[in-house]
Amino acid sequence: MCNHPGGASIVLTCTYSYRSLTPEGPLSRFVLIKAVLGPIMRLMFRPRVEGAERIPGEGPVILAGNHLTFIDSMIMPLFCDRQVFFIGKDEYVTGKGIKGRLMAWFFTGTGMIPVDRDGGRGGVAALMTGRRVLEEGKVFSIYPEGTRSPDGRLYRGRTGIARLTLMTGAPVVPFAMIGTDKLQPGGAGFPRPGRVTVRFGEAMEFSRYEGMDRDRYVLRAVTDSVMAEVMRLSGQEYVDMYATKAKAA
């Protein structure tokens, strides 16, 4: 359960072979990274967390939220008691030299599973990776929009979130990141200090749709219900189109 305080668009190919984690693996790195960077980030971002008690303390959980800027994926895992796994760009872990190795150590230690955006079969690989994480009783975070919002509004969700919850039975806890885009406009550069709010909603379960993970109407209905809750939590204006299309326009 979070005490203070990436959907991935299902268009990615995993280049990292996900393995069950032991206390000697990335989990220990997560504890170390959180112990070192957690206090610094609390001072920088003065996080205000609402509804963290709604995240189950054990068992599989899907965290589904909006995506405003790069630091969303740093704030979430560092301010959660449970380690959160999420999908990220493979270039974060494929760099050369000491800097590249340090970045790989950091990002995989915080729970990032690298992916190759150029792969043609990325959707299935990313979906199956999330499924394995959840079947091991862990927490998997996803941004249903599939990419960062280009203008601060909330865009239509991809149905990968619905497939995951229907295939695994894991509850969905919606969340909203508020204020991160003002601290790191455009998602680039070093973030400036300021106030960040992370707001969690009530857990959502969709057992009534069990066995219907191939029905596109059900998938859309589940996804839209999750996005409606994210919109309520974030207060964002909703746009009924994919963010990738808006960026390409």
Side-chain angles (χ1 to χ4, degrees), residues 27 30 98 135 192 201 204 206:
L27 183 58
F30 168 67
I98 295 177
E135 287 177 344
R192 51 179 177 252
M204 306 172 73
F206 300 96

Side-chain angles (χ1 to χ4, degrees), residues 51-111:
E53 70 282 356
R54 292 167 175 165
I55 301 176
E58 58 184 19
V61 182
I62 301 170
L63 300 181
N66 60 337
H67 193 15
L68 298 173
T69 192
F70 175 78
I71 58 172
D72 294 338
S73 297
M74 296 182 65
I75 291 173
M76 176 61 71
L78 287 178
F79 291 105
C80 285
D81 285 342
R82 297 183 67 185
Q83 185 167 19
V84 178
F85 294 90
F86 57 98
I87 289 173
K89 296 179 182 178
D90 66 336
E91 54 255 46
Y92 295 149
V93 300
T94 56
K96 305 297 183 181
I98 295 177
K99 180 181 178 181
R101 288 194 292 271
L102 285 174
M103 287 183 64
W105 183 88
F106 171 80
F107 282 112
T108 58
T110 56

Side-chain angles (χ1 to χ4, degrees), residues 135-158:
E135 287 177 344
E136 292 184 4
K138 297 180 173 65
V139 182
F140 187 71
S141 180
I142 185 170
Y143 301 121
E145 291 170 279
T147 186
R148 292 193 296 264
S149 170
D151 54 17
R153 296 184 293 177
L154 185 69
Y155 283 80
R156 196 179 199 211
R158 303 278 180 171

Side-chain angles (χ1 to χ4, degrees), residues 8-74:
S9 170
I10 303 304
V11 292
L12 311 171
T13 297
C14 294
T15 59
Y16 172 76
S17 179
Y18 175 77
R19 299 186 297 271
S20 298
L21 299 178
T22 66
E24 293 74 35
L27 183 58
S28 60
R29 278 185 279 152
F30 168 67
V31 173
L32 175 62
I33 291 169
K34 188 170 74 167
V36 173
L37 292 185
I40 297 174
M41 294 184 73
R42 286 189 180 92
L43 286 173
M44 282 190 65
F45 303 132
R46 294 176 288 141
R48 178 167 48 213
V49 188
E50 302 172 8
E53 70 282 356
R54 292 167 175 165
I55 301 176
E58 58 184 19
V61 182
I62 301 170
L63 300 181
N66 60 337
H67 193 15
L68 298 173
T69 192
F70 175 78
I71 58 172
D72 294 338
S73 297
M74 296 182 65

Side-chain angles (χ1 to χ4, degrees), residues 136-215:
E136 292 184 4
K138 297 180 173 65
V139 182
F140 187 71
S141 180
I142 185 170
Y143 301 121
E145 291 170 279
T147 186
R148 292 193 296 264
S149 170
D151 54 17
R153 296 184 293 177
L154 185 69
Y155 283 80
R156 196 179 199 211
R158 303 278 180 171
T159 58
I161 176 68
R163 292 181 186 275
L164 280 175
T165 186
L166 296 184
M167 286 191 300
T168 65
V172 177
V173 175
F175 69 88
M177 306 294 295
I178 302 171
T180 53
D181 55 332
K182 294 180 175 61
L183 306 186
Q184 193 183 37
F190 194 80
R192 51 179 177 252
R195 167 79 68 175
V196 169
T197 298
V198 182
R199 184 174 294 147
F200 295 96
E202 295 285 353
M204 306 172 73
E205 64 87 25
F206 300 96
S207 59
R208 60 190 179 279
Y209 298 123
E210 183 178 1
M212 302 176 71
D213 58 280
R214 294 177 180 270
D215 187 314

